[in-house]
Amino acid sequence: MAHANSTSHGSNYLNHEKGLWSWLTTVDHKRIGLMYLATVLTYFLVGGIFALLIRLELFTPGGGNLITAQTYNRFFTYHGAIMVFLVIIPAIPGSIGNFVLPMMVGAKDVAFPKLNLFSYYVYLAGGIFATLALFLGGADTGWTFYTPYSIRTSGAVILVVFGAFIAGFASILTALNFIITIHKLRAQGQSWSRLPLLCWSLYATSVIQILATPVLAITLALLIFERVFKIGIFDPALGGDAVLFQHFFWFYSHPAVYIMILPAMGVISEIIPVFSRKPIFGYKAIALASFGIALVAFIVWGHHMFVTGQSELANFVFSLLTMFVAVPTGVKVFSWVGTMYKGSLTFNAPMKYAMGFIELFTIGGLTGVFLATLPIDVHLTDTYFVIAHFHYVMVGGTIMGFVGGMHYWFPKVTGKMYNESSASVAFWLILLGFNLTFFPQFIAGAQGMPRRYWSYLPEFTLMNQLSTIGSWFLAVGFAWTAIYMIRDARKGPKAGDNPWGAGTLEWQSPSPPPHDNFPVDPVVTTWPYDYRGIKI
Amino acid sequence: MGNHGQVTPGTYHHGHHWKNAHEEFEGAKQGMWVFLVTEVLMVGALFVGYIIFRAMYPEAFHEAHKLLNPKLGLLNTFVLITSSWTMVLGVSSIQRGQVSRCLAYLMTTVGFGFVFLIVKYFEYSHKIHEGILPGGLYTYKELAMDKVPLFFSLYFMMTGVHAFHVILGMGLITWVMLRVKRGEVSKQFFTPVELVGFYWHFVDLVWIFLFPLLYLLG
């Protein structure tokens, strides 16, 4: 495995070894990151197509213009399951995290490179099982697989559940790798207080993945056994308790929301100081807030069950605790804004996406406080308001952070620069398309339109049509992003080693980086957000 | 885990991304601890399920637990604890470079694993024969009480998940034995033996909680 550092002949991780086989068997974290990226984006396309079809069906109030009710149920199940388990959860840690984290700490690789490759294949296997289900009977349970319906309905529920179960192990192994990498492989001089904020975020994410994912694993295993052997833990008809499933499920799936958003917050924390040319404001507060979020993540799951008949005391406590989420989150948002204050701002694509993140995530986060408020939640449960809320957080937050990160590290990964005006067009399409798609859903939801319905009352027509039109703008924006990114990765102008003038270690290495990441083992002497002496 | 060097007896080259072999060993050990945390959370959910249902239906659980055979449970507890002891001896022998002694201890550990599974097999087959089964499959006439099947849902899931881990552990120990035999594991590099040892102790520990909860608590 030991290779001489040779950058003098233009050798980098992309041309270090050649051929498809060298990619499929690579243990290089950078290549594995790109494999994750390709797979995640493929599933993003698939999940996105289902979303477009759902929106198209909802263009008119009467059901059945495009697809039957049964097909509709399957489509929203696939959309949710694919986007949650195969796209948003692995998106940033799997691709950007794998590529960037070891470089940020100045390491040659993650702690366990073979395990890293293994986790990619585990993820892929999970995806394949879930995809097989599409052709072998489908599933119409929604991505939450609520019992007892998920036990009794026909179709290939087991395959989808098994896919999510397997993908969970990939998530656990990536988290394990990151934790040990951060602990053991930091470069000389990189004390904890010099650790980049993306690493802090991914660390907090990993802790949640380690603690929450196994609970989902056993819950999904129980669900499979319940379907196959009627073991009767969740189905009331067999002596079990259906709400226990919801407790178990949300004990994972609520923290999973933070698994999805924390990495994006890390990306934003890297982008904002670089494009403000100012040290990040509140470094320690941002780092600690990640762990604050991780901690609170585990004690709020009951807010998904306000209407299941759990005790009023539990409802009250969960409602109160849920509002605490807003505290560390607010600390982050204010710190980002504080960083920009009196900074020297430039609005390249990464910064545009960071701005988009702050705008959309703030709307998503604040509507989360609405939903944490008991009486309001009782009114809004299972309406489009909830749909709009979590799309503002998941797409407006995580996907904005993900796409912003893809632009930010594009020159490092490819060695080329993307075209700024192409990126600008895509950004505005995505931002406007997103708001057009999801803002009307807040209104329709507040007026009482239920989620997961195939047809709706005529008074919701306008809001649904706006939403559907917005989805086309979103689709065009993402498609255009894919087109110019592929174009510029091949034919874009050469990017320098540090085009943004960033201070984290990955920018000290050539673009694209050599196989071993750094020509010389880096030694850290400064804080990563100190831009004095860095020329652009 | 973490081993990327070519290993020849006497000289061990650590993975190129580690500072030295000691750091690599420490990293692998930390990784294993983190992995065991995930295992604790996984079985933890089952324990929580057990505690909730037990608190809700104490009489049914009391009656149901009488159908288990505590003598066999106790026997298996002894078997597993002893196997943990032989595992420790296996680890300490490879640390001293005593290859054949290490192999003998590891073999004994796998043997105890088999004994455990055989006892479990007799327990399971007796229950299946009598119709003492989980949830919807329960047909045992002598004790037709509401929520008794739920006890056996938990019993079979918990002991089943545990038995699955025992089988995995036996597989891992066998894999380690092969590596010891091939000389890939030595006095200089014994990480796999030590880590599989961690795993095996964890599996024992789970049983040490399962035995009193299921067999003894009345």
Side-chain angles (χ1 to χ4, degrees):
Chain A
M1 277 293 139
H3 294 281
N5 295 318
S6 54
T7 48
S8 51
H9 306 293
S11 163
N12 60 51
Y13 79 100
L14 293 166
N15 61 20
H16 176 75
E17 283 173 297
K18 291 206 168 62
L20 181 65
W21 188 244
S22 79
W23 279 84
L24 296 178
T25 57
T26 185
V27 291
D28 182 342
H29 67 99
K30 300 183 286 304
R31 285 183 165 209
I32 294 171
L34 288 188
M35 283 153 67
Y36 261 107
L37 183 68
T39 318
V40 162
L41 292 177
T42 307
Y43 281 117
F44 185 63
L45 175 68
V46 177
I49 288 169
F50 283 121
L52 287 171
L53 292 171
I54 292 168
R55 284 300 343 149
L56 203 56
E57 167 61 40
L58 293 174
F59 194 71
T60 51
N65 303 313
L66 183 68
I67 44 180
T68 64
Q70 179 61 24
T71 312
Y72 180 82
N73 291 348
R74 287 182 181 167
F75 280 12
F76 74 65
T77 302
Y78 300 148
H79 168 68
I82 289 173
M83 287 303 201
V84 169
F85 295 112
L86 301 177
V87 179
I88 302 183
I89 288 177
I92 297 181
S95 61
I96 295 176
N98 254 325
F99 195 100
V100 175
L101 181 131
M103 296 195 74
M104 276 191 159
V105 299
K108 291 191 177 80
D109 209 320
V110 290
F112 312 115
K114 283 183 199 161
L115 194 67
N116 199 19
L117 180 66
F118 177 69
S119 88
Y120 169 76
Y121 282 112
V122 171
Y123 161 65
L124 191 65
I128 288 169
F129 275 110
T131 315
L132 275 180
L134 305 183
F135 303 102
L136 297 173
D140 59 351
T141 59
W143 76 278
T144 47
F145 311 122
Y146 271 12
T147 54
Y149 184 73
S150 57
I151 298 163
R152 297 174 191 168
T153 181
S154 61
V157 179
I158 290 177
L159 275 177
V160 184
V161 171
F162 192 61
F165 173 83
I166 301 232
F169 285 98
S171 176
I172 288 174
L173 296 177
T174 303
L176 189 155
N177 235 329
F178 285 177
I179 290 178
I180 307 303
T181 306
I182 292 173
H183 269 279
K184 301 302 272 184
L185 295 179
R186 294 200 313 284
Q188 194 191 335
Q190 189 176 58
S191 57
W192 286 101
S193 57
R194 286 174 177 167
L195 189 66
L197 286 166
L198 176 63
C199 302
W200 278 113
S201 273
L202 287 170
Y203 192 125
T205 309
S206 301
V207 170
I208 307 178
Q209 284 172 301
I210 292 291
L211 295 178
T213 316
V215 178
L216 178 77
I218 196 71
T219 308
L220 296 182
L222 284 169
L223 179 57
I224 292 171
F225 276 88
E226 185 106 14
R227 265 185 84 93
V228 179
F229 298 113
K230 298 188 192 323
I231 54 164
I233 288 178
F234 297 134
D235 188 346
L238 302 172
D241 188 332
V243 179
L244 182 70
F245 177 85
Q246 294 189 26
H247 278 288
F248 278 174
F249 183 82
W250 289 112
F251 182 83
Y252 163 78
S253 291
H254 194 77
V257 174
Y258 305 110
I259 294 176
M260 302 184 226
I261 194 68
L262 278 171
M265 289 175 159
V267 170
I268 299 305
S269 305
E270 295 301 329
I271 292 173
I272 284 183
V274 170
F275 291 89
S276 305
R277 307 315 298 158
K278 239 185 89 193
I280 186 110
F281 177 83
Y283 169 86
K284 276 187 189 157
I286 294 177
L288 280 177
S290 295
F291 289 89
I293 291 173
L295 179 74
V296 181
F298 282 98
I299 48 177
V300 299
W301 79 89
H303 67 222
H304 293 273
M305 281 165 277
F306 283 157
V307 297
T308 55
Q310 69 183 352
S311 80
E312 279 176 24
L313 177 67
N315 275 353
F316 164 73
V317 172
F318 278 125
S319 170
L320 183 71
L321 290 172
T322 302
M323 292 188 193
F324 283 130
V325 179
V327 177
T329 314
V331 166
K332 282 180 180 253
V333 173
F334 285 119
S335 296
W336 295 324
V337 176
T339 307
M340 289 187 288
Y341 180 66
K342 288 189 177 173
S344 166
L345 309 185
T346 44
F347 290 95
N348 297 76
M351 189 61 163
K352 286 199 182 81
Y353 281 98
M355 300 290 91
F357 175 98
I358 294 181
E359 184 231 323
L360 302 179
F361 177 76
T362 304
I363 296 174
L366 288 176
T367 49
V369 182
F370 294 16
L371 291 169
T373 314
L374 266 174
I376 296 179
D377 184 77
V378 171
H379 174 66
L380 294 174
T381 290
D382 280 343
T383 68
Y384 262 82
F385 192 92
V386 178
I387 305 286
H389 156 68
F390 72 70
H391 280 85
Y392 264 84
V393 180
M394 299 289 85
V395 185
T398 309
I399 298 294
M400 288 303 244
F402 180 46
V403 180
M406 278 169 64
H407 285 86
Y408 179 62
W409 282 288
F410 187 89
K412 182 54 60 189
V413 173
T414 62
K416 307 280 175 59
M417 187 50 95
Y418 65 85
N419 183 290
E420 200 63 59
S421 41
S422 299
S424 189
V425 171
F427 169 77
W428 289 109
L429 278 171
I430 291 171
L431 187 78
L432 296 175
F434 177 84
N435 281 301
L436 187 57
T437 309
F438 293 104
F439 205 85
Q441 296 186 3
F442 278 126
I443 299 166
Q447 289 172 341
M449 178 167 166
R451 69 189 286 194
R452 291 180 171 172
Y453 275 35
W454 170 63
S455 62
Y456 53 85
L457 297 174
E459 61 250 44
F460 301 122
T461 309
L462 175 65
M463 291 303 146
N464 273 287
Q465 290 187 340
L466 288 176
S467 184
T468 303
I469 293 166
S471 70
W472 301 335
F473 280 94
L474 261 181
V476 173
F478 284 125
W480 174 232
T481 307
I483 291 168
Y484 73 76
M485 279 205 154
I486 292 168
R487 181 195 69 198
D488 295 345
R490 294 155 56 98
K491 295 182 178 160
K494 255 194 167 37
D497 291 347
N498 190 3
W500 311 125
T504 41
L505 285 177
E506 77 275 24
W507 300 101
Q508 292 184 14
S509 169
S511 304
H515 174 70
D516 274 346
N517 291 349
F518 298 95
V520 185
D521 284 349
V523 176
V524 181
T525 52
T526 56
W527 193 49
Y529 304 104
D530 184 353
Y531 300 110
R532 285 171 299 185
I534 297 179
K535 287 198 190 102
I536 304 177
Chain B
M1 274 188 205
N3 162 32
H4 296 279
Q6 295 300 311
V7 182
T8 49
T11 53
Y12 168 68
H13 299 291
H14 59 85
H16 79 303
H17 57 298
W18 293 95
K19 288 183 194 88
N20 53 51
H22 177 71
E23 280 291 297
E24 182 185 70
F25 174 61
E26 289 295 317
K29 238 173 28 179
Q30 278 184 10
M32 194 64 198
W33 279 115
V34 173
F35 177 73
L36 291 182
V37 170
T38 71
E39 290 276 12
V40 169
L41 266 294
M42 192 165 115
V43 294
L46 288 172
F47 280 98
V48 167
Y50 172 87
I51 291 165
I52 291 169
F53 283 132
R54 207 194 128 70
M56 285 165 83
Y57 316 113
E59 292 90 3
F61 273 49
H62 180 77
E63 291 307 317
H65 101 282
K66 290 182 186 163
L67 299 180
L68 296 180
N69 185 339
K71 283 181 192 140
L72 289 179
L74 185 67
L75 172 65
N76 258 349
T77 309
F78 275 117
V79 168
L80 277 193
I81 291 179
T82 317
S83 79
S84 251
W85 180 53
T86 54
M87 187 74 221
V88 172
L89 292 172
V91 174
S92 89
S93 359
I94 194 72
Q95 286 172 343
R96 291 155 211 243
Q98 298 161 334
V99 171
S100 53
R101 188 175 284 208
C102 170
L103 283 173
Y105 282 129
L106 293 182
M107 182 80 89
T108 318
T109 311
V110 174
F112 279 122
F114 268 114
V115 174
F116 177 88
L117 289 177
I118 289 163
V119 173
K120 211 71 223 148
Y121 167 77
F122 281 114
E123 282 190 82
Y124 276 174
S125 54
H126 174 251
K127 300 258 166 341
I128 292 166
H129 181 73
E130 300 269 327
I132 306 175
L133 287 166
L137 305 173
Y138 187 89
T139 53
Y140 187 59
K141 298 271 181 330
E142 315 272 310
L143 182 61
M145 187 178 173
D146 196 28
K147 302 300 176 189
V148 163
L150 184 59
F151 176 88
F152 287 98
S153 305
L154 289 161
Y155 167 80
F156 276 100
M157 271 316 289
M158 293 168 96
T159 56
V161 166
H162 177 261
F164 178 69
H165 279 82
V166 171
I167 295 167
L168 272 183
M170 289 161 64
L172 286 171
I173 297 173
T174 312
W175 167 72
V176 162
M177 279 163 58
L178 288 174
R179 293 196 66 179
V180 173
K181 250 193 184 143
R182 287 203 297 258
E184 293 173 359
V185 178
S186 62
K187 199 173 166 181
Q188 280 77 26
F189 173 71
F190 49 82
T191 314
V193 193
E194 175 118 13
L195 296 194
V196 168
F198 279 21
Y199 182 82
W200 190 255
H201 298 320
F202 165 78
V203 174
D204 286 2
L205 201 58
V206 172
W207 179 258
I208 287 170
F209 282 95
L210 283 178
F211 171 59
L213 274 184
L214 295 170
Y215 291 78
L216 300 183
L217 274 187

